[in-house]
Amino acid sequence: MHSDILALYGRSFRAQLYLNSARGLKPLRLSRSDDSFSWTGIAEDDWLQVGSAGQSPAMNFVFRHSSSDRLYFDITLPGPPRDSSGQGSAKRLGISINGFLGFYWVADVTEPWKIEPLAMDESGLLCHLRDHLGQRVAIRPGNTMRNGQRAQWLNTLEGQVQTFVLRQA
């Protein structure tokens, strides 16, 4: 791995992840339970999808270690207190049983994510996002949402493999 990449990304940081497409960078979004995804059986918030009118959500990339060609992170989504104790909480990026990416409470996810750097430029770090088994993240189109847009889910088991741009905040 190039020393510049390791110097900038071989540590913990807050960043946004964007889909790299031929038409430019596409922001990611977190699903909401009112998105009308009844066909999926998913009635929870915080499933990671492509497509947002705004910016990608900020995520914490908690550095674990590096290898010659990968950076290993726990990816968390900071949030409000989980219960009435007032203690802060974070959801950790994980994978459902059928390969969909979503944020889970920390106790449910133990394996790190792998960032495979491809190139670095002024837009950020071009990379593949890989799960703990090394499977690259892909887009799996879904049914139409209430607003008429087509849902594009991130999945490790099926779909078209994508590249992403990681931008530090």
Side-chain angles (χ1 to χ4, degrees):
M1 179 176 323
H2 195 276
S3 61
D4 288 348
I5 292 174
L6 194 55
L8 287 171
Y9 293 93
R11 59 182 178 77
S12 296
F13 52 84
R14 183 168 280 192
Q16 295 166 301
L17 195 59
Y18 290 86
L19 177 77
N20 185 47
S21 76
R23 292 185 228 154
L25 300 181
K26 290 185 175 181
L28 303 183
R29 73 182 291 269
L30 299 173
S31 69
R32 294 176 304 275
S33 56
D34 64 352
D35 279 340
S36 294
F37 294 123
S38 59
W39 59 272
T40 64
I42 298 170
E44 303 259 344
D45 294 340
D46 299 338
W47 293 95
L48 203 52
Q49 304 171 310
V50 176
S52 170
Q55 304 260 340
S56 289
M59 297 176 241
N60 293 325
F61 286 74
V62 181
F63 184 72
R64 281 209 186 175
H65 59 88
S66 64
S67 65
S68 61
D69 61 349
R70 305 274 194 280
L71 299 164
Y72 295 78
F73 294 95
D74 293 325
I75 302 173
T76 64
L77 182 67
R82 185 173 180 183
D83 56 31
S84 61
S85 71
Q87 193 171 25
S89 64
K91 286 185 171 183
R92 192 179 288 184
L93 186 61
I95 307 167
S96 71
I97 196 166
N98 48 359
F100 292 101
L101 278 66
F103 284 91
Y104 295 82
W105 293 113
V106 174
D108 296 332
V109 181
T110 59
E111 299 297 330
W113 285 87
K114 301 173 185 180
I115 301 289
E116 176 188 3
L118 302 172
M120 188 170 62
D121 63 20
E122 67 281 347
S123 65
L125 181 66
L126 181 66
C127 60
H128 284 294
L129 180 60
R130 294 177 179 265
D131 68 9
H132 66 284
L133 299 174
Q135 300 171 118
R136 292 182 293 180
V137 173
I139 288 180
R140 182 179 178 265
N143 289 0
T144 304
M145 297 186 301
R146 182 182 310 162
N147 64 7
Q149 293 181 324
R150 191 166 178 88
Q152 293 184 303
W153 300 90
L154 297 184
N155 192 292
T156 59
L157 299 179
E158 57 183 295
Q160 184 176 2
V161 171
Q162 301 295 309
T163 57
F164 295 87
V165 171
L166 184 61
R167 283 187 170 168
Q168 289 188 24

